[in-house]
Amino acid sequence: MNELEQAKLLAAIARDAAASSDLDDCLRRVMDRLHAAIRFKGGSLAFPDDDGSLAIRVAVGVIDEAARAVRLRPGEGIVGTVFSSGSSFRTGDLDGESRVTPAARTVGTNRLMRSFLCVPLAHQGTIVGVLEIDSASADAFTAEDQELREPGATVLAGVVRLAHIAERERAARLARDDFFAAVTHDLRNPLTVIRGQTQRLLRRHAGRSGQAGDADAGPLGAILTQTD
Protein backbone atom coordinates (compact mmCIF):
# COMPACT_ATOMS: atom_id res chain seq x y z
CA MET A 1 0.00 0.00 0.00
CA ASN A 2 1.51 3.32 -1.09
CA GLU A 3 1.31 6.63 0.81
CA LEU A 4 -1.71 7.84 -1.18
CA GLU A 5 -3.63 4.66 -0.43
CA GLN A 6 -2.72 4.97 3.26
CA ALA A 7 -3.94 8.57 3.30
CA LYS A 8 -7.22 7.53 1.66
CA LEU A 9 -7.68 4.77 4.25
CA LEU A 10 -7.08 7.17 7.15
CA ALA A 11 -9.50 9.67 5.61
CA ALA A 12 -12.12 6.93 5.27
CA ILE A 13 -11.63 5.99 8.94
CA ALA A 14 -12.10 9.63 9.94
CA ARG A 15 -15.27 9.88 7.82
CA ASP A 16 -16.68 6.72 9.40
CA ALA A 17 -16.01 8.18 12.83
CA ALA A 18 -17.74 11.44 11.99
CA ALA A 19 -20.73 9.72 10.39
CA SER A 20 -21.52 7.33 13.24
CA SER A 21 -23.10 8.32 16.56
CA ASP A 22 -22.68 4.78 17.92
CA LEU A 23 -19.19 3.83 19.11
CA ASP A 24 -19.52 0.08 18.45
CA ASP A 25 -20.80 0.73 14.92
CA CYS A 26 -17.88 3.08 14.27
CA LEU A 27 -15.35 0.55 15.59
CA ARG A 28 -16.81 -2.21 13.41
CA ARG A 29 -16.56 -0.03 10.31
CA VAL A 30 -12.94 0.77 11.07
CA MET A 31 -12.05 -2.88 11.59
CA ASP A 32 -13.82 -3.84 8.36
CA ARG A 33 -11.78 -1.24 6.45
CA LEU A 34 -8.54 -2.44 8.00
CA HIS A 35 -9.50 -6.04 7.24
CA ALA A 36 -9.94 -5.10 3.59
CA ALA A 37 -6.60 -3.24 3.51
CA ILE A 38 -4.56 -5.87 5.37
CA ARG A 39 -5.59 -9.49 5.03
CA PHE A 40 -5.62 -11.21 8.41
CA LYS A 41 -7.30 -14.16 10.13
CA GLY A 42 -8.81 -12.22 13.01
CA GLY A 43 -8.65 -8.76 14.49
CA SER A 44 -10.01 -7.07 17.56
CA LEU A 45 -10.18 -3.89 19.61
CA ALA A 46 -9.83 -4.26 23.37
CA PHE A 47 -10.49 -1.66 26.07
CA PRO A 48 -10.25 -1.60 29.87
CA ASP A 49 -13.31 -3.11 31.51
CA ASP A 50 -14.88 -1.97 34.79
CA ASP A 51 -12.39 -4.09 36.74
CA GLY A 52 -9.42 -2.74 34.73
CA SER A 53 -8.84 -5.87 32.65
CA LEU A 54 -8.67 -5.58 28.87
CA ALA A 55 -11.83 -6.91 27.20
CA ILE A 56 -12.53 -7.29 23.47
CA ARG A 57 -15.30 -4.91 22.40
CA VAL A 58 -15.27 -5.45 18.63
CA ALA A 59 -13.83 -8.32 16.59
CA VAL A 60 -13.77 -9.26 12.90
CA GLY A 61 -12.62 -12.31 10.97
CA VAL A 62 -12.05 -15.73 12.50
CA ILE A 63 -12.46 -15.36 16.26
CA ASP A 64 -14.80 -17.46 18.38
CA GLU A 65 -16.60 -16.67 21.64
CA ALA A 66 -13.98 -18.45 23.74
CA ALA A 67 -11.23 -16.24 22.33
CA ARG A 68 -13.39 -13.13 22.70
CA ALA A 69 -13.94 -13.91 26.36
CA VAL A 70 -10.22 -13.80 27.23
CA ARG A 71 -9.29 -11.05 29.70
CA LEU A 72 -5.76 -9.79 30.31
CA ARG A 73 -4.58 -7.35 32.93
CA PRO A 74 -2.39 -4.38 31.92
CA GLY A 75 1.18 -5.65 31.78
CA GLU A 76 0.04 -9.27 31.28
CA GLY A 77 0.93 -11.05 28.05
CA ILE A 78 1.60 -9.25 24.78
CA VAL A 79 -1.67 -7.29 24.66
CA GLY A 80 -1.35 -6.17 28.28
CA THR A 81 2.29 -5.18 27.73
CA VAL A 82 1.41 -3.11 24.64
CA PHE A 83 -1.32 -1.35 26.65
CA SER A 84 1.04 -0.62 29.55
CA SER A 85 4.09 0.36 27.51
CA GLY A 86 2.40 2.24 24.67
CA SER A 87 4.71 0.50 22.18
CA SER A 88 3.63 -1.57 19.17
CA PHE A 89 4.52 -5.25 18.87
CA ARG A 90 4.94 -7.49 15.83
CA THR A 91 6.05 -11.09 15.54
CA GLY A 92 6.05 -13.65 12.76
CA ASP A 93 5.90 -16.62 15.14
CA LEU A 94 3.98 -16.46 18.43
CA ASP A 95 5.28 -19.86 19.47
CA GLY A 96 8.72 -18.35 19.92
CA GLU A 97 7.56 -15.49 22.14
CA SER A 98 8.12 -15.72 25.90
CA ARG A 99 5.56 -12.99 26.67
CA VAL A 100 2.64 -15.04 25.38
CA THR A 101 0.15 -15.96 28.13
CA PRO A 102 -0.17 -19.78 27.87
CA ALA A 103 -3.79 -19.81 29.09
CA ALA A 104 -4.83 -17.29 26.42
CA ARG A 105 -2.74 -18.92 23.69
CA THR A 106 -4.60 -22.24 23.88
CA VAL A 107 -8.15 -20.85 23.98
CA GLY A 108 -10.47 -21.32 20.97
CA THR A 109 -9.32 -19.75 17.72
CA ASN A 110 -6.28 -18.28 19.49
CA ARG A 111 -4.66 -21.67 18.86
CA LEU A 112 -4.61 -20.84 15.14
CA MET A 113 -2.53 -17.68 15.59
CA ARG A 114 1.02 -17.60 14.25
CA SER A 115 1.76 -14.02 13.24
CA PHE A 116 0.63 -11.24 15.57
CA LEU A 117 0.55 -7.45 15.35
CA CYS A 118 -0.62 -5.30 18.25
CA VAL A 119 -0.80 -1.49 18.36
CA PRO A 120 -1.76 0.79 21.27
CA LEU A 121 -4.59 3.29 20.86
CA ALA A 122 -3.03 6.47 22.24
CA HIS A 123 -4.70 9.89 22.46
CA GLN A 124 -2.78 12.86 23.87
CA GLY A 125 -0.49 10.60 25.84
CA THR A 126 -3.28 8.42 27.23
CA ILE A 127 -3.59 4.77 26.18
CA VAL A 128 -7.30 4.05 25.74
CA GLY A 129 -7.10 0.54 24.28
CA VAL A 130 -5.28 -1.81 21.91
CA LEU A 131 -5.80 -2.99 18.36
CA GLU A 132 -4.57 -6.41 17.26
CA ILE A 133 -4.55 -8.51 14.11
CA ASP A 134 -3.32 -12.05 13.68
CA SER A 135 -2.71 -14.65 10.98
CA ALA A 136 -2.40 -18.42 10.86
CA SER A 137 0.67 -18.01 8.61
CA ALA A 138 4.18 -17.23 9.77
CA ASP A 139 5.67 -13.80 8.96
CA ALA A 140 2.35 -12.58 7.60
CA PHE A 141 2.82 -8.91 8.54
CA THR A 142 5.48 -6.49 7.44
CA ALA A 143 6.95 -3.33 8.92
CA GLU A 144 4.76 -1.46 6.40
CA ASP A 145 1.67 -3.08 7.88
CA GLN A 146 2.77 -1.90 11.31
CA GLU A 147 3.41 1.61 10.04
CA LEU A 148 -0.08 1.67 8.52
CA ARG A 149 -1.68 0.50 11.73
CA GLU A 150 -0.05 3.08 13.98
CA PRO A 151 -1.51 6.28 12.43
CA GLY A 152 -4.84 4.50 12.00
CA ALA A 153 -4.75 3.62 15.69
CA THR A 154 -4.04 7.26 16.56
CA VAL A 155 -7.09 8.44 14.62
CA LEU A 156 -9.19 5.72 16.18
CA ALA A 157 -7.95 6.53 19.70
CA GLY A 158 -9.17 10.10 19.36
CA VAL A 159 -12.59 8.85 18.30
CA VAL A 160 -12.75 6.43 21.24
CA ARG A 161 -11.65 9.08 23.72
CA LEU A 162 -14.30 11.55 22.55
CA ALA A 163 -16.94 8.81 22.50
CA HIS A 164 -16.11 7.86 26.10
CA ILE A 165 -16.44 11.50 27.16
CA ALA A 166 -19.79 11.72 25.38
CA GLU A 167 -20.94 8.48 27.05
CA ARG A 168 -20.04 9.86 30.49
CA GLU A 169 -21.90 13.09 29.73
CA ARG A 170 -24.97 11.14 28.58
CA ALA A 171 -24.81 9.03 31.74
CA ALA A 172 -24.60 12.19 33.87
CA ARG A 173 -27.59 13.71 32.07
CA LEU A 174 -29.61 10.52 32.53
CA ALA A 175 -28.72 10.39 36.23
CA ARG A 176 -29.76 14.04 36.64
CA ASP A 177 -33.04 13.47 34.79
CA ASP A 178 -33.77 10.35 36.87
CA PHE A 179 -33.10 12.30 40.06
CA PHE A 180 -35.45 15.13 39.14
CA ALA A 181 -38.10 12.66 37.97
CA ALA A 182 -37.90 10.84 41.33
CA VAL A 183 -38.06 14.09 43.31
CA THR A 184 -40.99 15.33 41.22
CA HIS A 185 -42.85 12.06 41.74
CA ASP A 186 -42.20 12.07 45.49
CA LEU A 187 -43.38 15.67 45.86
CA ARG A 188 -46.37 15.58 43.55
CA ASN A 189 -48.57 13.33 45.73
CA PRO A 190 -48.30 15.25 49.02
CA LEU A 191 -48.54 18.60 47.22
CA THR A 192 -51.70 17.46 45.47
CA VAL A 193 -53.23 16.61 48.85
CA ILE A 194 -52.15 19.95 50.34
CA ARG A 195 -53.58 21.86 47.37
CA GLY A 196 -56.89 19.98 47.45
CA GLN A 197 -57.38 20.48 51.18
CA THR A 198 -56.42 24.17 50.94
CA GLN A 199 -58.95 24.75 48.16
CA ARG A 200 -61.61 22.99 50.24
CA LEU A 201 -60.91 25.24 53.24
CA LEU A 202 -60.94 28.34 51.04
CA ARG A 203 -64.33 27.40 49.65
CA ARG A 204 -65.63 26.88 53.19
CA HIS A 205 -64.39 30.31 54.28
CA ALA A 206 -65.81 31.91 51.14
CA GLY A 207 -69.24 30.73 52.28
CA ARG A 208 -68.80 32.24 55.74
CA SER A 209 -68.23 35.83 54.70
CA GLY A 210 -68.12 38.24 57.63
CA GLN A 211 -67.35 35.57 60.25
CA ALA A 212 -64.21 35.53 62.38
CA GLY A 213 -62.90 32.46 60.59
CA ASP A 214 -62.45 34.47 57.39
CA ALA A 215 -59.16 35.75 58.77
CA ASP A 216 -57.69 32.40 57.75
CA ALA A 217 -58.44 33.06 54.06
CA GLY A 218 -55.22 35.09 53.58
CA PRO A 219 -52.84 32.42 54.91
CA LEU A 220 -54.74 29.70 53.05
CA GLY A 221 -54.39 31.69 49.81
CA ALA A 222 -50.66 31.97 50.43
CA ILE A 223 -50.44 28.20 50.99
CA LEU A 224 -52.25 27.58 47.70
CA THR A 225 -49.98 29.99 45.82
CA GLN A 226 -46.79 28.45 47.21
CA THR A 227 -48.08 24.93 46.59
CA ASP A 228 -48.68 25.80 42.92
Side-chain angles (χ1 to χ4, degrees):
M1 178 176 291
N2 59 40
E3 292 184 0
L4 178 58
E5 290 171 332
Q6 291 184 27
K8 287 181 178 179
L9 177 60
L10 294 177
I13 290 173
R15 284 197 304 272
D16 287 343
S20 179
S21 59
D22 179 76
L23 178 58
D24 287 332
D25 177 64
C26 173
L27 296 178
R28 271 189 222 94
R29 292 189 187 191
V30 170
M31 290 302 293
D32 286 339
R33 286 193 182 277
L34 290 173
H35 197 190
I38 305 173
R39 304 310 303 174
F40 51 81
K41 176 188 73 63
S44 67
L45 291 164
F47 303 96
D49 213 340
D50 292 337
D51 64 356
S53 62
L54 293 166
I56 292 176
R57 183 158 180 171
V58 172
V60 297
V62 180
I63 177 170
D64 62 8
E65 289 303 315
R68 288 188 63 141
V70 170
R71 301 286 189 273
L72 294 173
R73 305 290 300 180
E76 180 184 8
I78 294 173
V79 172
T81 300
V82 168
F83 181 81
S84 298
S85 67
S87 299
S88 300
F89 174 88
R90 176 171 56 91
T91 181
D93 187 4
L94 273 176
D95 292 332
E97 290 294 332
S98 60
R99 282 175 289 184
V100 173
T101 305
R105 180 78 175 96
T106 58
V107 170
T109 50
N110 286 356
R111 296 192 302 269
L112 305 175
M113 293 180 182
R114 189 79 184 276
S115 296
F116 194 80
L117 173 58
C118 189
V119 179
L121 304 180
H123 178 68
Q124 297 180 349
T126 299
I127 308 299
V128 299
V130 291
L131 180 157
E132 71 81 18
I133 59 173
D134 58 80
S135 173
S137 302
D139 301 317
F141 307 125
T142 65
E144 183 183 73
D145 294 331
Q146 186 171 342
E147 291 171 1
L148 171 62
R149 280 288 185 162
E150 289 172 348
T154 300
V155 173
L156 186 56
V159 173
V160 171
R161 187 70 169 171
L162 292 175
H164 283 170
I165 292 172
E167 284 181 349
R168 286 198 298 270
E169 290 179 348
R170 283 195 295 271
R173 285 196 299 271
L174 288 173
R176 180 198 62 195
D177 293 344
D178 288 345
F179 169 76
F180 282 117
V183 169
T184 299
H185 178 269
D186 290 343
L187 288 177
R188 181 180 290 115
N189 290 338
L191 286 175
T192 299
V193 174
I194 292 171
R195 191 178 192 281
Q197 293 300 318
T198 303
Q199 287 177 320
R200 185 178 65 83
L201 291 171
L202 279 171
R203 286 195 297 271
R204 177 185 298 176
H205 285 298
R208 297 167 57 185
S209 176
Q211 299 185 29
D214 292 339
D216 294 332
L220 286 172
I223 293 173
L224 186 62
T225 298
Q226 293 304 314
T227 301
D228 287 339

